[in-house]
Amino acid sequence: MASEVDRTDPHALPIAERVEQLLAVGGPLPIVAAGHPVLRRAAEPFEGQLSPALLARFVAALRTTMHAAPGVGLAAPQVGVGVRIAVIEDPAPVPEDIRVVRGRVPQPFRVLVNPSYEAVGTERAAFFEGCLSVPGWQAVVARHARVRLRALDEHGAEVDEEFTGWPARIVQHETDHLDGTLYLDRAEVRSLSTNEAVAARWAQPTPERAAAELGFPLPG
């Protein structure tokens, strides 16, 4: 026998009802911060819980919210919706030295539905990373330098593509959100720094100086 839905908890509502509720307010969606259980649960696969029209509206709202934050990626759980949908987009407005060292190149707007990734090769890269659900802080995270992404787009077309450099980092970060994983789970804890400290002390293209002064290892 099915249990009744607790309608006093908006996060317990069916996905379509929760999305309609969020969209009714208008403007950028509120971003859920670390400490909320929705960020620690594996999101359920998207299997048509949203009609095509509602999915399009939700994707547009995710994009608006990502831009307003601002960020380069946003996963549905970050707005309180536990379904495997994320969006990414990066104009990469960074100096040339950072672009070269981090492999940060512009990425067009993409919708990732039911994404998963796997490492391609063994190379790893470590850089400071932040998250819209952990505002005000950054930490160094070693991630796969190249990954293969498998997903669907918002129209149901298959995506099977390799990403390198910063785009690979974005793909891993957003897909991790859909598995209930925050970047802090993968971070070098000793590197944890406020945004202000990163800007003042660790804004170099690589985190070598931070590793030396804060005392944490970097991948060889």
Side-chain angles (χ1 to χ4, degrees), residues 19 59 104 126 143 152 163 195:
V19 169
V59 164
R104 188 169 177 183
R143 291 194 182 270
L152 301 176
F163 290 79
N195 288 343

Side-chain angles (χ1 to χ4, degrees), residues 10-205:
H11 299 281
L13 296 174
I15 287 173
E17 194 170 337
R18 172 63 176 151
V19 169
E20 288 279 18
Q21 184 184 69
L22 285 170
L23 297 180
V25 177
L29 306 177
I31 294 177
V32 175
H36 196 292
V38 72
L39 294 173
R40 290 311 198 170
R41 298 175 184 141
E44 64 180 77
F46 178 73
E47 297 175 338
Q49 296 94 326
L50 308 179
S51 69
L54 185 55
L55 175 61
R57 290 171 58 208
F58 183 47
V59 164
L62 288 174
R63 188 180 191 184
T64 296
T65 305
M66 175 178 64
H67 288 170
V72 296
L74 188 68
Q78 292 183 272
V79 297
V81 180
V83 67
R84 294 186 72 83
I85 297 173
V87 297
I88 64 175
E89 184 177 13
D90 185 13
V94 296
E96 180 68 8
D97 59 341
I98 292 178
R99 184 192 68 78
V100 171
V101 171
R102 300 182 185 175
R104 188 169 177 183
V105 295
Q107 285 296 299
F109 178 70
R110 298 171 180 263
V111 181
L112 308 180
V113 177
N114 297 334
S116 63
Y117 67 83
E118 61 185 35
V120 177
T122 59
E123 183 183 357
R124 295 172 69 80
F127 294 103
F128 274 99
E129 188 173 317
C131 179
L132 299 178
S133 290
V134 190
W137 298 88
Q138 296 181 48
V140 172
V141 184
R143 291 194 182 270
H144 304 300
R146 180 185 293 269
V147 296
R148 181 180 182 181
L149 170 74
R150 292 184 177 89
L152 301 176
D153 67 14
E154 66 272 39
H155 306 295
E158 290 189 5
V159 176
D160 188 342
E161 188 173 342
E162 287 190 10
F163 290 79
T164 62
W166 208 258
R169 181 171 295 268
I170 296 171
V171 163
Q172 291 170 81
H173 181 114
E174 299 308 327
T175 303
D176 280 358
H177 269 302
L178 304 179
D179 295 327
T181 298
L182 295 177
Y183 86 98
L184 292 173
D185 300 329
R186 304 187 185 278
E188 291 291 344
V189 176
R190 292 180 69 94
S191 72
L192 186 65
S193 305
T194 64
N195 288 343
E196 294 78 10
V198 172
R201 294 175 176 273
W202 317 127
Q204 299 80 21

